[in-house]
Amino acid sequence: MKKKVLAAMLCVTMTATMLAGCGGGDSGSGEKEDTDAGGEELTEIIWQYPTTIDTTGEGFINMENALNELMEKDVGVHVVFEPVDLMDSQNDAILKVSAGEKLDIMLTAFTSIGNVVSKGLVIPLDDLLEEHGQDILEHSYTKEMCGYQGETYGVCTGDTLGRTYGYLIKKEYWDKYNLAEETGWSEDKFYTTEELEHIFEIVKAGEGDNFYCDVPWNTTQEPMNNGYMEYDELAGSLAGGVLMFEDGKFDTTVRNMFETEQYKEYCEMRYDWAKKGYIAPDAATTTEMPDTVVAQKNYLGVCYWAHPNSAVTYGTTVGCELVCLPMVPRYMPYGGGSVIQWSIPNTCENPEKAMEALNYIYKNPEAAWIIEFGLEGEEYEVVEEDGDLKQIRWLADDIQSLPYYMPYGIWGNTLQWPVIEPSPIDENVSKQEWDDAVPEERISPAMGYSFVEEPVSTEMAAVNTVIEQYTPSLNCGALDPEKALPEFLDALEAAGMDKILEEQQKQFDAWLAEESK
């Protein structure tokens, strides 16, 4: 990837936690109602707000009021948040915009923006960004990562772009079984699946039945929550094919990951782990989120991010001390541009004000902090400050019991946020330095590429349905791969996987040729 592009790029990382959102008001987008302190008319902005529950409380209202105290004075807008499930945000927006309902800022999470672009439901943002979004351009990777067919349709959170994955193990068992000495732990060690299984064998023998070693993520198709091997998705899901990282570099051949030898070995391993009792029998069918399951006493750990300080951060979420065992060295995938991104629907009557509202949470970090953390003295207290750096502490051991708690870390530039105790106050500085040190050969050659799905949109939908049918059970070791994997591959072929791969390769080759000029 070109260095000039890399230098401009950041990335989205999700923080898995949880609480509520709300909406209100009924006036049309762009209508002027009420005035700010200076007598200027306010523009109401209806903004999708990802949450996991349908009710709202006083803490949410206080957050929204505090944000609007800033927004009304500085931008001339009054924000009304509208709750939506994160993973269903795009579908929810499609229904609202198609029906002509009021919505000014919509959300797309972990799926291609092409779906709403092809339907003509969102507007291009390049001119708006240049005129009203300069702080977004300075503090996110929007121009590099949110393009489609040569135009920008989304605004992305600012964070790091590098990825690394591993296994987070509860320190209680790490110490109890002397696993550091047993496994030869060191700061630069990367664990293999064989070494991880050796740990499982030791702990399972000591803890007995009804004790489980891994929590398969029921919200992702990815093998071991991306912790098994390096690859880059080219269409926001595994349905669009991947570039595999092999022999120390990324290949440029588009492949069906499910028919690789690595995936076959993965499925065999998971099936074996389930038979040995390392994975719970109900893992494929449970509706509990991994965060909730991991926190239970009879679970050892989970596959997760292995970024610097991941163990501390996730330990705060699940309520126990963790040790990080890295398994996949840092690399930079593109993911088909399937980052979390904010867009402006074509029904928005005042796109300029919508963009100003978006830009404000990058321009004024305090606004992003209010949405993410709530209010000082209500949800958190400041522990330490050092210039622009800040460390905070939650005001409850059970953070879900706070008056307000935001589930997802998607507001503004996360590298400008305070860090949560016990994370070190300079954690964000370290994260950026870590990201800058990703080796060139471990950067996907697809950075900036966007797949146009229209020629194979029917096949993409069908293949995704097949993937959703099989991957939860294969990830949980609930299916014998000797029988299930051939059935899975046959179903993918029947749904049109080969046609997708052919179209993807054609578009990707053309893009590579253009980039090389």
Side-chain angles (χ1 to χ4, degrees):
M1 174 186 176
K2 298 179 178 66
K3 288 288 186 182
K4 64 180 181 180
V5 175
L6 244 185
M9 298 206 309
L10 296 165
C11 181
V12 162
T13 47
M14 285 267 314
T15 314
T17 28
M18 103 170 245
L19 187 188
C22 145
D26 244 348
S27 60
S29 175
E31 289 183 5
K32 305 293 185 180
E33 47 175 64
D34 300 330
T35 59
D36 63 18
E40 297 292 326
E41 293 180 323
L42 297 176
T43 302
E44 184 180 76
I45 297 296
I46 303 297
W47 195 332
Q48 276 190 320
Y49 174 95
T51 184
T52 55
I53 61 177
D54 297 326
T55 58
T56 60
E58 183 179 354
F60 176 86
I61 296 169
N62 291 340
M63 176 280 297
E64 196 175 58
N65 287 340
L67 177 68
N68 278 316
E69 187 174 345
L70 297 175
M71 289 283 221
E72 291 174 6
K73 173 172 61 74
D74 294 341
V75 191
V77 303
H78 177 86
V79 170
V80 176
F81 285 122
E82 184 170 280
V84 63
D85 181 271
L86 178 72
M87 302 307 291
D88 194 44
S89 55
Q90 188 183 97
N91 289 334
D92 178 83
I94 289 173
L95 292 174
K96 284 182 168 57
V97 175
S98 299
E101 292 186 34
K102 180 178 173 67
L103 188 63
D104 298 290
I105 300 175
M106 60 168 281
L107 182 65
T108 286
F110 304 121
T111 187
S112 173
I113 194 71
N115 189 30
V116 288
V117 174
S118 63
K119 290 180 170 65
L121 300 180
V122 295
I123 63 174
L125 303 179
D126 295 278
D127 290 343
L128 287 170
L129 283 165
E130 292 298 329
E131 294 178 19
H132 305 286
Q134 288 301 315
D135 297 282
I136 293 171
L137 297 178
E138 180 180 352
H139 293 292
S140 83
Y141 56 91
T142 286
K143 292 289 283 187
E144 289 78 17
M145 297 285 281
C146 297
Y148 189 79
Q149 293 183 303
E151 295 190 270
T152 306
Y153 288 92
V155 168
C156 305
T157 301
D159 207 311
T160 52
L161 184 62
R163 294 285 183 264
T164 183
Y165 303 92
Y167 183 82
L168 300 185
I169 183 172
K170 291 178 179 175
K171 191 172 187 298
E172 171 188 356
Y173 300 107
W174 180 256
D175 293 341
K176 179 178 179 179
Y177 293 98
N178 195 25
L179 294 172
E181 182 176 339
E182 178 70 30
T183 64
W185 182 89
S186 66
E187 289 188 357
D188 58 355
K189 178 180 175 64
F190 284 88
Y191 282 77
T192 65
T193 54
E194 290 79 12
E195 289 174 308
L196 190 60
E197 182 171 354
H198 180 55
I199 291 172
F200 292 174
E201 182 180 9
I202 292 171
V203 179
K204 179 71 173 177
E207 300 300 316
D209 295 337
N210 197 36
F211 186 92
Y212 305 106
C213 299
D214 188 26
V215 181
W217 283 74
N218 49 19
T219 57
T220 179
Q221 308 167 352
E222 321 296 336
M224 287 178 63
N225 198 25
N226 291 101
Y228 188 74
M229 56 186 170
E230 304 102 307
Y231 54 88
D232 188 15
E233 299 174 1
L234 292 179
S237 82
L238 294 169
V242 302
L243 303 181
M244 298 294 293
F245 185 84
E246 297 176 322
D247 300 323
K249 63 179 181 179
F250 276 99
D251 191 7
T252 57
T253 301
V254 181
R255 301 175 66 181
N256 174 4
M257 191 196 72
F258 301 114
E259 65 180 8
T260 64
E261 188 64 27
Q262 295 99 312
Y263 189 74
K264 178 183 177 182
E265 292 171 355
Y266 162 77
C267 292
E268 292 170 345
M269 179 189 73
R270 300 299 280 184
Y271 185 60
D272 182 57
W273 284 7
K275 288 194 297 182
K276 291 175 178 176
Y278 301 155
I279 300 173
D282 68 344
T285 57
T286 183
T287 57
E288 288 189 288
M289 292 296 290
D291 296 352
T292 303
V293 177
V294 177
Q296 298 170 17
K297 179 70 175 177
N298 62 326
Y299 283 84
L300 178 64
V302 65
C303 292
Y304 197 72
W305 303 104
H307 288 91
N309 222 42
S310 287
V312 173
T313 303
Y314 196 61
T316 302
T317 299
V318 300
C320 63
E321 195 171 354
L322 302 169
V323 175
C324 180
L325 310 182
M327 299 182 70
V328 174
R330 74 186 88 176
Y331 72 108
M332 285 188 182
Y334 178 62
S338 61
V339 292
I340 296 174
Q341 52 188 296
W342 303 103
S343 299
I344 298 178
N346 63 9
T347 52
C348 176
E349 294 182 13
N350 199 328
E352 292 81 8
K353 281 297 182 184
M355 179 59 72
E356 286 183 35
L358 273 169
N359 187 72
Y360 188 71
I361 64 172
Y362 296 82
K363 180 178 182 178
N364 183 359
E366 183 185 350
W369 302 350
I370 289 171
I371 308 172
E372 182 63 29
F373 301 109
L375 305 182
E376 183 178 353
E378 296 291 331
E379 281 73 38
Y380 70 89
E381 63 182 357
V382 177
V383 178
E384 182 183 356
E385 292 188 78
D386 182 6
D388 293 333
L389 306 179
K390 183 180 293 189
Q391 183 191 57
I392 64 174
R393 174 191 298 137
W394 294 120
L395 293 177
D397 291 335
D398 178 7
I399 51 182
Q400 296 181 26
S401 70
L402 292 166
Y404 172 77
Y405 190 55
M406 160 39 60
Y408 307 112
I410 60 177
W411 306 94
N413 179 4
T414 68
L415 296 176
Q416 294 179 309
W417 289 359
V419 299
I420 301 171
E421 188 186 53
S423 296
I425 193 170
D426 63 347
E427 177 185 29
N428 288 331
V429 176
S430 299
K431 284 172 65 176
Q432 186 61 68
E433 292 173 349
W434 178 92
D435 201 57
D436 292 340
V438 177
E440 184 79 20
E441 65 273 12
R442 295 184 65 81
I443 299 170
S444 170
M447 288 291 178
Y449 166 72
S450 61
F451 178 48
V452 180
E453 293 185 11
E454 282 84 347
V456 288
S457 57
T458 300
E459 290 80 6
M460 284 288 292
V463 168
N464 269 313
T465 298
V466 172
I467 292 172
E468 292 296 338
Q469 177 185 349
Y470 280 90
T471 53
S473 295
L474 289 170
N475 284 341
C476 296
L479 294 177
D480 182 351
E482 185 173 347
K483 178 182 178 182
L485 191 53
E487 291 178 357
F488 182 24
L489 294 176
D490 286 346
L492 289 173
E493 182 178 358
M497 185 74 174
D498 290 344
K499 183 177 179 181
I500 295 171
L501 297 178
E502 182 180 355
E503 178 64 29
Q504 183 77 265
Q505 189 72 68
K506 181 178 73 174
Q507 292 188 29
F508 186 52
D509 287 345
W511 180 82
L512 285 174
E514 187 66 26
E515 285 291 293
S516 66
K517 292 181 180 178

